[in-house]
Amino acid sequence: MVLQPDRPDWWRDAAIYQVYPRSFADGNGDGTGDLAGIRARLPYLAELGFDAVWFNPWYPSPLKDGGYDVADYRSIDPVFGTLEEAEKLIAEALDLGIRTVVDIVPNHVSNEHPWFRAALAAPVGSPERELFHFAEGRGENGELPPNNWTSEFGGCPWTRIADGQWYLHLFATEQPDLNWAHPLVRQEHEEILRFWFDRGAAGVRIDSAGLLTKEPGLPSFELGVDTHPFVDRDDLHEIYRSWRAIADSYEQPRVLIGEIWVPDTERFARYLRPDELHTAFNFDFLARPWAAAELRASIDGTLAAHAPVGAPATWVLCNHDVTRTVTRYGRTDTRFQFSAKAFGTPTDRALGVRRARAAALLSLALPGSLYMYQGEELGLPEVEDLPLSTLQDPMHFRSGGTDPGRDGCRVPIPWSGEAPPYGFAPEGVEPWLPQPADWAALTVAAQTGDPDSMLELYREALRIRRERIGGEFGWLPADPEVLSFRRADGFGCLVNLGAEPVALPGGAALLLASGPLAEGGALPSDTAVWFEILDTRL
């Protein structure tokens, strides 16, 4: 499929909506979101004003990790629909001006993938096992794991099989890591890229993009060693250069978007050189607390890191792995850390909503592209009281039950009605994760037309962003607890993170506010405004 003519660099300042297919809309009435449901709701996304949609994995999967355990990269899980439906979805979205970004998972596959099933059936030292990381154990009888690595989900990343060998899985046991030193693994993923690009996908989001290659010999991790045995290794860049060549070979080049958790900004920027990835998620901004100095440092550091390689920054407040913004910003500790997640953490929902509204205007006004997770435009909170019997996330189980996991941000979103399933599925059908009984006021239908709703705030902000926000970024003079900056054509943004109201800049015409202004027109705590700069001295 040839994409419709448009700016070839659309991705540099795009607003991209993230769809978690299981939880977006159920079209066939089985309680699980699917492609039919998504296709029916495409006009909603077009009307909101998004440039593209990123879909979490929709491939055949045993769902041991929410679809990130892929059994077949060239098909659609029957619970979602068919490959033909996916092709129609891509085409119909494009007709509405929405491009499609497909999630790919190159670090690992499902243990039900044909390659891994063949590897288990093959003998030690066979070509089939060379596609993965099989190794002998330590100890007198090989009873100890081959090294001291730790899984990204916690615990040991090695599982022993019947013949005594161990296989590596940096995530769940059911997600064996591929051996990226093997040419067939590289060839396979290059063909997967072409498969989806040929079907009209405008780009791919690359899961766990910084983990693919491992140090030869799989040595144990040692503190003080310059290079990590499996994170951010230099040989990754050769892989992404080959992918970029494929993406650039299309008449309208496709886009490569990396999920890269690398705290070193200089090393992070290496992935964004002109012959590698186009963009990568900015997790530093997402993880920072709601504090002016912290957010300013993140913004400055992000823009400085991207400038030398000419890549656009990305901004995101949460995703399918991260505690929802309304809940996180209502807590005493507003940072995000996987290690800090725990049951029973108190949150002030009203405070979280106020800060989330201000954060929406902040992130939408920054230079670069924006990613928004489904339901954020509705102000959905994290669902933290899911019955334990309904939890499915391996992070919960691998923690021994201490980590609540990520299911709370994956609850199906509400569209209409006074009770579950809130239009997500037909009346009387129970969604795959239960929805709260108090979400009636948060549905799309309830918020549409309400000028004070989160949905209408996002709708208006996206319209203004599309029509007039762009160009250079520069800080404006402000108190330490205030963020104030300008963009081109006299656009300004001011966010008050302090305890006391602050005055708006002189000669400012208000465009949009995240909440009511204080007496005399001052900006209250945890509130943001967009304004037109009338005073040319600012």
Side-chain angles (χ1 to χ4, degrees):
M1 177 188 294
V2 177
L3 298 182
Q4 296 172 346
D6 200 352
R7 286 176 45 207
D9 62 348
W10 62 272
W11 44 272
R12 298 189 69 89
D13 56 6
I16 301 173
Y17 189 95
Q18 179 190 353
V19 166
Y20 193 72
R22 295 179 80 189
S23 299
F24 188 68
D26 173 15
N28 66 4
D30 64 358
T32 297
D34 50 37
L35 301 189
I38 296 169
R39 290 171 64 192
R41 300 292 186 176
L42 284 175
Y44 167 76
L45 299 179
E47 191 274 334
L48 275 177
F50 284 95
D51 302 293
V53 176
W54 155 37
F55 293 100
N56 287 107
W58 50 18
Y59 314 108
S61 168
L63 296 177
K64 299 299 183 181
D65 181 26
Y68 283 89
D69 46 323
V70 179
D72 182 355
Y73 292 88
R74 295 177 177 83
S75 186
I76 300 296
D77 195 302
V79 75
F80 297 138
T82 65
L83 180 59
E84 182 182 12
E85 281 186 279
E87 293 171 344
K88 289 179 179 178
L89 170 58
I90 293 171
E92 289 166 359
L94 198 57
D95 287 342
L96 293 171
I98 300 173
R99 294 172 182 260
T100 294
V101 175
V102 174
D103 213 324
I104 61 169
V105 190
N107 178 71
H108 47 263
V109 296
S110 165
N111 60 349
E112 295 188 12
H113 189 283
W115 280 10
F116 191 69
R117 296 174 71 173
L120 290 181
V124 173
S126 63
E128 290 84 356
R129 292 201 179 182
E130 291 177 358
L131 299 174
F132 300 91
H133 295 285
F134 281 87
E136 301 297 331
R138 296 174 296 170
E140 183 177 350
N141 298 304
E143 71 277 9
L144 299 176
N147 61 33
N148 68 352
W149 295 0
T150 300
S151 165
E152 295 294 295
F153 284 168
C156 178
W158 292 95
T159 291
R160 198 177 194 188
I161 61 175
D163 62 21
Q165 280 206 309
W166 299 72
Y167 71 86
L168 176 68
H169 49 87
L170 289 181
F171 293 87
T173 303
E174 297 86 359
Q175 295 170 288
D177 279 38
L178 290 164
N179 176 15
W180 274 86
H182 198 294
L184 187 57
V185 172
R186 300 194 179 201
Q187 177 185 336
E188 168 71 357
H189 281 79
E190 290 178 358
E191 292 176 0
I192 290 167
L193 290 180
R194 293 188 180 95
F195 180 88
W196 288 106
F197 290 163
D198 289 346
R199 279 155 182 78
V204 293
R205 177 264 190 187
I206 308 161
D207 180 69
S208 302
L211 303 181
L212 274 56
T213 62
K214 280 72 176 176
E215 185 171 346
L218 308 177
S220 286
F221 178 78
E222 297 181 22
L223 292 175
V225 176
D226 290 339
T227 58
H228 195 285
F230 62 82
V231 176
D232 182 33
R233 295 186 54 77
D234 289 341
D235 49 2
L236 275 171
H237 299 284
E238 176 190 348
I239 294 170
Y240 294 133
R241 288 190 185 98
S242 71
W243 288 20
R244 180 60 177 262
I246 293 170
D248 287 347
S249 70
Y250 286 78
E251 181 178 354
Q252 291 192 39
R254 283 18 178 186
V255 181
L256 305 177
I257 304 160
E259 182 199 26
I260 301 174
W261 295 78
V262 176
D264 185 317
T265 56
E266 181 180 345
R267 291 194 65 86
F268 175 84
R270 294 182 184 182
Y271 292 91
L272 304 177
R273 289 176 288 197
D275 62 345
E276 295 191 41
L277 306 182
H278 295 80
T279 65
F281 288 144
N282 176 17
F283 292 111
D284 181 79
F285 182 76
L286 172 154
R288 295 278 183 147
W290 182 250
E294 291 275 358
L295 291 172
R296 179 190 285 266
S298 181
I299 292 167
D300 283 341
T302 296
L303 297 178
H306 287 73
V309 290
T314 64
W315 311 100
V316 60
L317 295 172
C318 84
N319 60 32
H320 65 291
D321 290 330
V322 173
T323 304
R324 282 199 178 273
T325 311
V326 162
T327 298
R328 179 164 54 93
Y329 279 162
R331 291 181 167 158
T332 301
D333 185 352
T334 53
R335 296 172 299 170
F336 177 76
Q337 294 177 301
F338 282 109
S339 60
K341 294 186 69 175
F343 286 103
T345 306
T347 187
D348 181 336
R349 184 163 168 180
L351 176 62
V353 168
R354 190 161 66 249
R355 289 173 170 173
R357 289 173 66 92
L361 295 196
L362 169 62
S363 58
L364 281 162
L366 293 169
S369 55
L370 173 101
Y371 289 80
M372 194 193 74
Y373 180 46
Q374 64 181 41
E376 285 291 287
E377 79 277 20
L378 304 176
L380 297 185
E382 188 88 354
V383 182
E384 300 187 285
D385 58 353
L386 288 168
L388 293 180
S389 61
T390 68
L391 298 184
Q392 301 185 24
D393 186 13
M395 292 191 78
H396 168 70
F397 298 106
R398 290 181 69 88
S399 72
T402 60
D403 185 335
R406 300 164 294 176
D407 294 307
C409 65
R410 300 175 179 182
V411 172
I413 65 174
W415 291 94
S416 60
E418 299 297 318
Y422 298 114
F424 165 77
E427 187 175 351
V429 173
E430 292 187 9
W432 70 279
L433 280 176
Q435 299 163 304
D438 62 352
W439 272 14
L442 298 180
T443 68
V444 172
Q447 295 194 47
T448 298
D450 178 357
D452 297 326
S453 70
M454 184 77 84
L455 177 59
E456 292 300 338
L457 176 70
Y458 263 102
R459 182 176 280 123
E460 180 65 5
L462 285 162
R463 182 191 67 79
I464 295 174
R465 182 183 189 271
R466 187 168 56 250
E467 293 178 358
R468 65 161 302 162
I469 302 179
E472 295 297 320
F473 168 94
W475 291 110
L476 295 172
D479 294 338
E481 296 301 311
V482 173
L483 300 178
S484 186
F485 57 88
R486 67 178 301 157
R487 301 290 303 279
D489 300 323
F491 174 88
C493 177
L494 190 151
V495 188
N496 181 13
L497 294 93
E500 301 298 327
V502 297
L504 297 182
L510 192 66
L511 296 173
L512 185 62
S514 67
L517 299 185
E519 185 176 350
L523 187 65
S525 175
D526 298 320
T527 309
V529 292
W530 288 355
F531 58 93
E532 185 174 359
I533 302 171
L534 302 179
D535 187 342
T536 57
R537 293 172 296 178
L538 290 179

